[in-house]
Amino acid sequence: MQQVMKKLRDLREDHDMTQEDVAKYLGTSQTMYARYERCANELPLRHFTALCKLYGVSADELLDT
């Protein structure tokens, strides 16, 4: 899962977005989103699918490690 979260962090940075930007998009706090990126909390499936849409990537692309 750490590789998936690294890909998500890289995508966020490539899109010039902050953790706060992504957290607002997901309807969560920046603190919680930071915990997802650090793998301190499990990323809910609904957030995973929302991030795929946000970044225009498929789940397969992210999960292919």
Side-chain angles (χ1 to χ4, degrees):
M1 186 52 113
Q2 286 180 332
Q3 289 176 325
V4 172
M5 294 313 298
K6 181 183 180 328
K7 287 181 183 182
L8 285 171
R9 183 182 67 237
D10 290 345
L11 283 167
R12 176 179 58 77
E13 292 171 349
D14 290 347
H15 284 79
D16 295 322
M17 298 181 80
T18 65
Q19 287 182 342
E20 182 71 28
D21 295 332
V22 176
K24 285 180 183 177
Y25 176 80
L26 296 176
T28 191
S29 69
Q30 180 276 328
T31 303
M32 182 56 75
Y33 185 75
R35 292 180 60 83
Y36 296 151
E37 280 194 0
R38 290 193 322 268
C39 296
N41 280 71
E42 191 171 310
L43 181 69
L45 183 58
R46 71 182 184 280
H47 287 174
F48 179 78
T49 56
L51 291 172
C52 289
K53 289 178 187 175
L54 176 65
Y55 300 130
V57 298
S58 70
D60 287 342
E61 287 177 79
L62 290 176
L63 295 173
D64 182 28
T65 54

